[in-house]
């Protein structure tokens, strides 16, 4: 626990993998690091060219983003989700999606209002960290619990994550619509993290967006999206939030004061990436092939794959502690992510990423098959 000056925050969880990484690195054919979902493939040329062309950015960019960027984001929602948004009032670019996730409870003033945050039982750690930074409680409530009538009393912000990181679970349109209805009835803001939405393995189309389920009105609802996954743009910190116009206006105003602004060249790059669908579909096929290769090896080795119907991970269990599974994988030179990082409900799973080169994915799959023989 970091306690000297400032906030009392836990140590960064990924530092706990040091010993497993060291053991895996001893493998004669090198390590296959499948622990972090960072893209390894090139950023598309159309995006890199747009970034370079906009590099003479001598003036300050605006927090709200250029009109052209907001129009491109609106076009993206209509193209992929058949959702119509007002570019002037319902869209805001953000400095990556993790930044928004971490700061949204603070920017919404939940501490001043005495309200908590809710997030799924197995969830990306930053939802809980955002509550910690804001100085409020975080409760673990799944979408199924909300549909079943779980109380939202005392909660100001509910996070859902579809497709889920780490599980790859996708919430269907009916479930989303009911979660929206119940959140609205309770007067709770509903934010949906959808950054893996276009990497849907059970359909040619995207996973459903909460804005589709919300109907014509986006009141009380926010959709959060990152281009890191669809366009290999993790290094650009290119993301956006869309939905309730009043919430977007409040967030824009507070972010102006805080200087949370997407650099102008990145805004130009985002426009190019959002309007070019060819590279998105091509990258999805690359990941599809890696997924099939790795899935086969994991099943042969004795893992069961749960959910994993979308996204960049295979949510896997061998029916034992995640730390025991990590040790088994490290003996094969493979590093994965421990389920315990995502909540107590996930401590018997490991998260195995598809974000490695074809050669490393192939090597990992082959090691798993050989070990199982």
């Amino acid at each position: 626990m970091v306690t000297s000056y400032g906030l009392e925050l836990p140590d960064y969880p990924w530092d706990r993998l040091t010993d497993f990484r060291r053991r895996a690195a001893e493998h004669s054919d090198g390590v296959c690091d499948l622990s972090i979902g960072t893209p390894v493939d090139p950023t598309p040329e159309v995006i890199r060219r747009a970034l370079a062309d906009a590099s003479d950015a001598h003036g300050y960019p605006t927090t709200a983003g250029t009109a052209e960027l907001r129009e491109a984001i609106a076009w993206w929602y209509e193209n992929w989700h058949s959702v119509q948004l007002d570019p002037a009032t319902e869209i805001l670019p953000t400095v990556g999606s993790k930044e928004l996730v971490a700061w949204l409870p603070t920017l919404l003033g939940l501490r001043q209002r005495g309200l908590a945050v809710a997030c799924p039982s197995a969830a990306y750690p930053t939802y809980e960290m955002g509550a910690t930074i804001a100085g409020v409680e975080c409760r673990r409530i799944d979408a199924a619990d909300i549909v079943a009538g779980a109380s939202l009393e005392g909660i100001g912000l509910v996070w859902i994550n579809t497709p889920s990181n780490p599980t790859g679970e996708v919430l269907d349109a009916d479930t989303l619509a009911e979660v929206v209805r119940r959140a609205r009835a309770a007067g709770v803001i509903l934010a949906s993290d959808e950054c893996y939405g276009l990497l849907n393995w059970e359909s040619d189309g995207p996973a459903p967006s909460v804005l589709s389920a919300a109907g014509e009105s986006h009141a009380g609802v926010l959709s959060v999206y990152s281009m890191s996954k669809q366009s290999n743009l993790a290094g650009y910190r290119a993301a956006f939030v869309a939905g309730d116009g009043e919430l977007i206006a409040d967030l824009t105003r507070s972010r102006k004061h805080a200087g949370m602004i997407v650099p102008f060249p990145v805004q130009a790059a985002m426009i190019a990436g959002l309007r070019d669908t060819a590279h998105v579909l091509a990258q999805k096929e690359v990941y599809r092939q890696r997924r099939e290769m790795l899935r086969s090896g994991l099943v042969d080795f004795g893992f069961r794959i749960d959910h994993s119907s979308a996204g960049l991970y295979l949510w896997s269990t061998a029916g034992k502690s995640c730390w025991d599974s990590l040790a088994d994988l490290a003996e094969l030179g493979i590093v994965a992510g421990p389920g315990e990082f995502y909540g107590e409900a996930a401590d018997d799973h490991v998260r195995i990423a598809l974000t490695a080169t074809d050669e490393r994915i192939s090597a990992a799959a082959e090691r798993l098959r050989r070990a199982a023989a």
Side-chain angles (χ1 to χ4, degrees):
M1 180 76 70
V2 178
T3 58
S4 59
Y5 309 108
L7 295 170
E8 292 190 5
L9 301 178
D11 294 330
Y12 194 58
W14 292 98
D15 293 343
R16 294 175 62 190
L17 294 186
T18 299
D19 290 342
F20 297 98
R21 293 186 189 282
R22 185 181 299 114
R23 181 69 185 97
E26 295 172 358
H27 193 278
S28 59
D29 188 35
V31 65
C32 298
D33 192 342
L34 310 180
S35 62
I36 307 288
T38 187
V40 300
D41 299 307
T43 300
E45 179 62 28
V46 64
I47 297 174
R48 295 162 65 184
R49 190 183 318 117
L51 182 80
D53 289 346
S55 60
D56 182 19
H58 45 268
Y60 288 111
T62 60
T63 300
T66 64
E68 292 80 8
L69 174 56
R70 295 195 304 274
E71 289 165 3
I73 294 169
W75 179 89
W76 184 91
Y77 273 102
E78 184 169 11
N79 179 66
W80 291 106
H81 294 294
S82 299
V83 169
Q84 294 193 344
L85 292 162
D86 180 355
T89 62
E90 295 185 310
I91 290 169
L92 176 65
T94 66
V95 190
S97 59
K98 184 174 184 177
E99 168 260 298
L100 180 72
V101 171
W103 288 107
L104 188 58
T106 296
L107 297 180
L108 292 175
L110 296 190
R111 182 176 182 179
Q112 292 90 327
R113 296 156 57 199
L115 297 173
V117 173
C119 74
S121 58
Y124 182 51
T126 308
Y127 306 125
E128 186 169 13
M129 187 54 60
T132 300
I133 292 170
V136 302
E137 178 189 1
C138 183
R139 303 178 193 171
R140 298 279 180 159
I141 303 176
D142 290 319
D145 299 327
I146 297 173
V147 170
S151 172
L152 298 178
E153 184 177 356
I155 294 172
L157 170 65
V158 169
W159 279 107
I160 56 174
N161 180 203
T162 177
S164 166
N165 171 15
T167 71
E169 181 180 10
V170 174
L171 299 179
D172 62 53
D174 289 342
T175 297
L176 284 172
E178 182 62 11
V179 172
V180 169
R181 188 186 73 78
R182 290 183 178 272
R184 284 174 169 166
V188 175
I189 296 167
L190 177 65
S192 179
D193 183 349
E194 302 174 347
C195 70
Y196 298 92
L198 299 192
L199 296 170
N200 187 7
W201 306 120
E202 297 187 349
S203 169
D204 290 335
S209 170
V210 73
L211 293 183
S212 300
E216 292 185 6
S217 170
H218 303 141
V221 177
L222 296 172
S223 164
V224 179
Y225 190 77
S226 165
M227 296 178 67
S228 296
K229 286 29 175 191
Q230 72 158 53
S231 301
N232 301 326
L233 280 190
Y236 282 50
R237 312 313 299 135
F240 45 86
V241 58
D244 185 316
E246 291 187 12
L247 287 173
I248 294 295
D250 287 344
L251 291 173
T252 302
R253 183 165 51 252
S254 59
R255 291 169 67 86
K256 284 180 180 179
H257 286 291
M260 296 176 174
I261 308 171
V262 178
F264 180 77
V266 174
Q267 293 190 37
M270 289 174 69
I271 295 169
L274 289 165
R275 293 200 176 271
D276 181 76
T277 59
H279 80 273
V280 177
L281 298 175
Q283 186 64 47
K284 182 178 179 180
E285 289 309 305
V286 169
Y287 282 132
R288 186 191 300 277
Q289 293 173 28
R290 291 174 184 165
R291 180 179 183 272
E292 292 307 312
M293 192 184 312
L294 191 55
R295 183 186 182 96
S296 174
L298 288 166
V299 170
D300 287 347
F301 188 69
F303 278 102
R304 184 184 78 232
I305 311 298
D306 291 334
H307 300 303
S308 305
S309 57
L312 291 179
Y313 310 103
L314 292 171
W315 189 233
S316 310
T317 181
K320 55 186 175 182
S321 162
C322 62
W323 300 105
D324 290 338
S325 291
L326 284 182
D328 293 341
L329 291 169
E331 291 297 319
L332 303 179
I334 299 170
V335 185
E340 185 181 299
F341 285 3
Y342 304 94
E344 293 180 3
D347 62 5
D348 63 344
H349 280 70
V350 291
R351 192 194 75 169
I352 302 176
L354 310 178
T355 50
T357 63
D358 292 344
E359 186 275 332
R360 287 290 86 185
I361 293 288
S362 177
E366 182 59 27
R367 292 176 196 180
L368 290 162
R369 280 191 290 269
R370 285 203 308 264

